[in-house]
Amino acid sequence: MTTNLRIRGLTKSFGGVKALDGVDLTVPAGQVHALLGHNGAGKSTLIKCLGGAFPPDSGTIEIGDRSYTRLTPRESITAGAAIIYQSLSVVDALTVAENVFLGQEWTRHGRVDRRVQEEAAAGLLERVAASCSPRDRVGDLPTGQRQLVEIAKALSRSASVLVLDEPTAALSGAESDALAERVEDLRAQGLAIVYVTHLLSEVERLADAVTVMRDGRVTHHSSVAGLSRNELVEAIAGRRHDATTRSGPARTAGRPRLTVDGLYGPGFGPVSLTVGEGERVGLFGLIGSGRTRLLETLFGRRRGQGGTIRVGELTVNPTRPAQALAAGIALVPADRRAQALFPSLTAQDNVLLPSIRTLSRAGVRALGVERRVFGSLAESVGLRPARPGLPAGAFSGGNQQKLVLGRWINEARDVEVLLLDEPTQGVDVGARQEIYRVVTGLADERGTAVLFASSDPEEVVALADRCLIVAGGRIVGELSGPDLTEQTLLSAVHEPDSRPAQGAA
Amino acid sequence: MTTADRFLTRPRVLATGGLTTLRRQPLLVVLAVMVVAFQLSTDSFLDPANLGGIATDAATLAIVAVPLALLVISGYLDLSVGSTFALGGLVAGWLATNGHTPAVAVLGALAAGAAVGVVNGVLCCHLGLSPFIVTLGMLTAIRGLAQQLFPLPLSGFGSGFAWLGGARIAGIAAPVVVAALVLIAGALFLALTPTGRHVFAIGVNREAAHLSGINIRRTPFALFVATGAAAALAGTIKASVLDSVVAGTSGSGFELAVLTAVLIGGVALTGGSGSILGVLLGVLFLGGLQNGLTLLSVPTFWQQMAQGTALVAGAALAYFAPRPGR
């Protein structure tokens, strides 16, 4: 059997954090190879290195008979790798045939030969059993068909390695089944297929071999045959960390601080939940389960369509973040770069921007007070380096997150309900523990109610007193006490019936 | 760090005085070289009379450059200032020739300029239209409005109105005093008020500012109004200096001159960075360049080429220079 893809010792760091650390991956022709791991385990970085999105620091990538230490996107395509990212790269305004042959048009006398191109596209569409016509406008097609168009495009470039990044995340049940059949066909045609997924049922159905990643390293590699689901869950969750990282016993909830009653909006709900004084509640679910929408509605970034949100006894229902903040609700969003950080402004500005008006006297900034508040915050969160004048963009991911978190937990603020969306995404292991310590301390000492969304079971176990399982925009289960372990969490979301419903992005 | 520095630069922890300031403001070196070169080649560049002339010319530029710079830092843009400049001069001139006091004339001009700013602000900040398109359209529309309202040239505004452009306060020309006040107010605003910090935050990351509870519409809206009013004030001063104003030509090209000064002064067109000290240097550089080349009898089109080249060279230097704090 020929080997179509061989990755050896691939290493890649971002600002001191190793996203990939000596990763090996070998996929022979005619194999479906499942790639598993939590968010942030390095799967995306690995496939982006393969696609030429960025160069690895060291290691080699062999595609077919060619070996590379770094690839450009064009080299990756010519070598025979095709990567179908979750966000598809089809052009909505063009037809199916135009998309399939984008950049390699069939021409005659310098003009695109539509007829020949459409015939050729029809052949490729047949190979992937797509039901659309070459003349359809791609923007009018459902997601499943658009995905097949992109796979057809890969075949037109005679790809020998096909990477599918969580291909069923946005598909309905029927579309997922259809895709599984296509994947089996393509395996029979001799492609090497890397299949990134969170769903163990897909691994069991489709994959021949499995590689599990954790913190940038390969932690498990075997064939799927003879591997039980428990062994697979164990491999993803790693050895049992619960006892060591669990931060004290779960506390009994105090009076309710946050009460959500029948809240619903586009893509989620109705959701009802309470978070008590000093309680830390996790929202665990896959990407697209509606967690972010729920948190953003609580914070007033999105408008709910019905239901009530109460802080203590007070009904809030915020329509703007400023209203939520005035009521004592604060959010640390998941996408730090896009939604939270001011990279060119100083660390002190990043922490104090929402508070400088409150601290000011007679319309003039209280510079001395600002410096003191920043100083004590920097100490309490363990900011490194603790320099107020350094631009936030110069800090590591973990310290940037401490700045963003510090925005709401410094002594100038009085936050009653703290919402965190993926609180340690892109944060190194050391800073992660510090952030857990700070959040736990906040709940214990100030009685802040903490509600956080996470797709990392290890994080939920480390941080939550109680965890709500989210799927399809609703709460489908609850785990607490001794039942709250990485294994129970993983089994809860990997039950086939808890797959997110179509459209709940 | 001197007190003036502290007011004119953004409050940052600077290592120590001079060298850091030089690294952050390379334009200071360029300006010094230019002054020396012009003095050596003309012998009269540094004469008090000539410097006074430069200052008066640069004053109208500076009055508009300060609020425009703040607007650009917050991530917006105003191209309509050239026509607002004309409208302001015309409204003030018309009020003065129709027997109103100079104070009423100035207030009338400020109101007209502020009204233009309100339109720009509502369209850009509240409706979210592109500031480039809105203010480019307003540049043409306000010019048309001015010509429709005041088809004939206005002149003979009276001695009271002439005071605005010609008076000396403690030996300094009144326009220069006004410009100095605007510069100081702008620098204090940026450094010492909470809203001044919000200007940067909104320019760097509007979504993050919104999620931090900052009102992302009010501040840029107010800056549009301030820029409109400042443009009208500058046009009024110019009308007072010349004792005449013509709807078709007054302030034409002024929007590009101000924007050039702001950008040469180191304000990023993408928003989020810039300083009032930089704006001051940009205005002085542009005013000095124009004056020196005129003293050397360099033809106008060569002067225009020099200004344009300076802007592009400045952008290229900023691209290649090591960026402090990055």
Side-chain angles (χ1 to χ4, degrees):
Chain A
M1 197 156 46
T2 53
T3 298
N4 286 11
L5 176 68
R6 191 192 299 272
I7 291 172
R8 270 191 262 214
L10 210 65
T11 300
K12 174 77 187 171
S13 301
F14 294 106
V17 182
K18 278 198 170 169
L20 291 180
D21 191 359
V23 171
D24 297 324
L25 181 70
T26 304
V27 189
Q31 184 185 75
V32 175
H33 196 117
L35 187 57
L36 296 170
H38 300 323
N39 293 318
K43 306 180 308 267
S44 301
T45 312
L46 180 67
I47 61 177
K48 281 181 179 162
C49 284
L50 177 59
F54 32 67
D57 298 334
S58 63
T60 58
I61 299 172
E62 290 169 35
I63 304 170
D65 49 5
R66 282 184 261 188
S67 176
Y68 299 87
T69 51
R70 57 195 298 165
L71 281 158
T72 65
R74 178 157 285 277
E75 281 170 342
S76 169
I77 292 169
T78 7
I83 295 167
I84 316 293
Y85 292 105
Q86 255 175 300
S87 50
L88 298 174
S89 53
V90 285
V91 184
D92 285 352
L94 299 182
T95 67
V96 169
E98 283 165 343
N99 263 287
V100 169
F101 293 107
L102 193 63
Q104 37 164 13
E105 288 79 5
W106 291 74
T107 54
R108 203 169 58 181
H109 312 307
R111 294 183 48 202
V112 174
D113 193 332
R114 286 179 169 276
R115 211 174 47 81
V116 173
Q117 194 160 281
E118 279 163 10
E119 276 169 20
L124 290 165
L125 291 174
E126 203 172 317
R127 254 180 92 189
V128 295
S131 61
C132 59
S133 138
R135 289 188 190 177
D136 287 344
R137 214 181 66 96
V138 165
D140 299 333
L141 299 176
T143 315
Q145 291 294 313
R146 292 153 54 120
Q147 206 169 41
L148 293 179
V149 170
E150 193 148 333
I151 296 175
K153 181 171 159 185
L155 295 178
S156 79
R157 302 182 149 160
S158 43
S160 61
V161 177
L162 182 67
V163 181
L164 298 165
D165 186 9
E166 293 193 42
T168 56
L171 297 186
S172 67
E175 282 178 319
S176 301
D177 291 340
L179 180 76
E181 286 173 28
R182 297 296 76 76
V183 170
E184 282 166 352
D185 289 350
L186 293 171
R187 165 170 57 194
Q189 292 170 24
L191 265 74
I193 297 168
V194 178
Y195 195 100
V196 182
T197 184
H198 278 292
L199 299 173
L200 301 186
S201 53
E202 292 188 345
V203 176
E204 288 161 352
R205 163 154 187 202
L206 285 174
D208 306 301
V210 58
T211 290
V212 179
M213 292 182 66
R214 190 184 180 87
D215 294 328
R217 280 189 292 271
V218 171
T219 54
H220 175 86
H221 168 76
S222 72
S223 72
V224 171
L227 193 67
S228 75
R229 177 168 287 211
N230 274 347
E231 287 170 309
L232 210 48
V233 167
E234 195 85 18
I236 300 172
R239 271 155 274 108
R240 302 182 68 87
H241 297 246
D242 336 13
T244 51
T245 49
R246 184 89 203 205
S247 48
R251 47 187 299 149
T252 45
R255 281 168 300 155
R257 265 284 171 90
L258 173 71
T259 312
V260 179
D261 208 2
L263 185 70
Y264 68 94
F268 78 92
V271 168
S272 298
L273 59 86
T274 51
V275 184
E277 197 175 276
E279 195 185 18
R280 289 166 275 130
V281 175
L283 293 169
F284 182 70
L286 300 176
I287 299 270
S289 55
R291 300 166 314 178
T292 296
R293 285 177 186 237
L294 171 61
L295 291 183
E296 288 184 345
T297 308
L298 293 177
F299 187 56
R301 184 177 180 263
R302 293 170 183 275
R303 263 169 214 253
Q305 293 169 326
T308 55
I309 302 164
R310 273 178 296 157
V311 176
E313 296 298 309
L314 209 71
T315 303
V316 208
N317 291 352
T319 54
R320 284 180 292 119
Q323 275 176 1
L325 286 166
I329 304 177
L331 169 72
V332 174
D335 191 340
R336 191 163 54 236
R337 280 265 154 195
Q339 299 191 299
L341 201 70
F342 302 99
S344 59
L345 300 188
T346 63
Q348 182 176 319
D349 276 350
N350 268 271
V351 169
L352 290 178
L353 269 168
S355 313
I356 34 180
R357 194 181 299 284
T358 333
L359 295 175
S360 67
R361 286 193 208 103
V364 177
R365 291 170 64 194
L367 296 174
V369 179
E370 285 183 22
R371 217 165 297 137
R372 191 180 54 70
V373 172
F374 176 82
S376 73
L377 173 87
E379 194 175 337
S380 71
V381 299
L383 184 74
R384 277 179 303 274
R387 283 169 52 192
L390 198 66
F395 285 84
S396 70
N399 283 290
Q400 287 177 355
Q401 190 70 351
K402 289 180 198 168
L403 292 175
V404 174
L405 184 62
R407 192 173 287 166
W408 305 129
I409 66 167
N410 61 67
E411 51 193 272
R413 310 287 323 180
D414 193 14
V415 168
E416 307 221 12
V417 177
L418 182 62
L419 310 173
L420 306 159
D421 196 353
E422 298 285 359
T424 60
Q425 203 163 71
V427 167
D428 54 282
V429 181
R432 208 177 285 177
Q433 293 305 326
E434 259 167 332
I435 287 170
Y436 296 157
R437 178 182 56 76
V438 168
V439 171
T440 309
L442 199 69
D444 290 347
E445 285 149 33
R446 289 208 227 165
T448 310
V450 177
L451 181 65
F452 71 97
S454 179
S455 39
D456 178 356
E458 189 180 348
E459 174 160 290
V460 174
V461 171
L463 196 54
D465 297 317
R466 180 158 71 83
C467 180
L468 306 171
I469 311 295
V470 188
R474 290 161 185 259
I475 292 167
V476 297
E478 177 171 341
L479 292 168
S480 61
D483 292 340
L484 181 54
T485 66
E486 290 186 43
Q487 283 78 1
T488 53
L489 286 166
L490 282 169
S491 320
V493 297
H494 287 136
E495 295 306 323
D497 56 332
S498 71
R499 178 184 288 166
Q502 166 80 356
Chain B
M1 186 161 69
T2 67
T3 316
D5 276 347
R6 195 195 296 278
F7 285 151
L8 289 170
T9 59
R10 292 162 50 192
R12 268 209 189 161
V13 184
L14 301 182
T16 40
L19 272 179
T20 316
T21 311
L22 275 189
R23 207 170 55 225
R24 291 175 51 81
Q25 297 291 352
L27 192 55
L28 216 50
V29 182
V30 178
L31 196 63
V33 171
M34 185 183 80
V35 168
V36 171
F38 278 143
Q39 174 61 17
L40 290 178
S41 52
T42 62
D43 250 359
S44 56
F45 187 76
L46 286 177
D47 285 359
N50 191 50
L51 287 183
I54 295 177
T56 312
D57 284 344
T60 49
L61 220 50
I63 289 168
V64 185
V66 169
L68 181 66
L70 300 179
L71 190 63
V72 173
I73 293 173
S74 75
Y76 290 83
L77 180 69
D78 188 351
L79 294 172
S80 67
V81 291
S83 297
T84 312
F85 181 98
L87 185 69
L90 289 160
V91 167
W94 183 82
L95 289 169
T97 49
N98 282 276
H100 294 279
T101 62
V104 171
V106 171
L107 287 176
L110 288 175
V116 176
V118 166
V119 174
N120 284 333
V122 167
L123 294 177
C124 299
C125 306
H126 292 87
L127 300 185
L129 301 182
S130 151
F132 187 93
I133 294 172
V134 167
T135 62
L136 184 65
M138 287 293 278
L139 176 68
T140 313
I142 298 299
R143 177 72 63 188
L145 177 73
Q147 285 174 301
Q148 175 65 33
L149 291 176
F150 307 101
L152 300 174
L154 302 174
S155 62
F157 304 138
S159 58
F161 190 71
W163 184 90
L164 188 61
R168 295 198 159 263
I169 300 161
I172 301 168
V176 179
V177 174
V178 174
L181 291 176
V182 170
L183 282 160
I184 291 169
L188 291 177
F189 169 75
L190 270 194
L192 293 184
T193 69
T195 314
R197 292 282 86 192
H198 293 175
V199 168
F200 283 102
I202 296 166
V204 172
N205 191 338
R206 209 177 297 177
E207 172 72 2
H210 179 56
L211 294 184
S212 298
I214 293 171
N215 191 324
I216 55 169
R217 290 181 180 163
R218 195 168 51 198
T219 303
F221 176 83
L223 291 174
F224 268 115
V225 175
T227 305
L233 178 64
T236 304
I237 290 173
K238 192 74 175 178
S240 164
V241 170
L242 300 174
D243 198 31
S244 81
V245 53
V246 182
T249 56
S250 166
S252 84
F254 180 74
E255 64 285 338
L256 297 181
V258 180
L259 194 58
T260 304
V262 166
L263 297 180
I264 286 183
V267 175
L269 198 53
T270 45
S273 96
S275 72
I276 298 298
L277 175 62
V279 171
L280 171 63
L281 295 177
V283 166
L284 290 178
F285 174 77
L286 210 61
L289 185 70
Q290 218 161 6
N291 176 279
L293 294 175
T294 307
L295 286 184
L296 289 169
S297 318
V298 173
T300 320
F301 42 84
W302 282 112
Q303 292 192 20
Q304 288 178 338
M305 285 189 62
Q307 283 175 28
T309 309
L311 175 63
V312 177
L317 277 178
Y319 181 79
F320 288 113
R323 275 161 240 193
R326 287 217 175 188

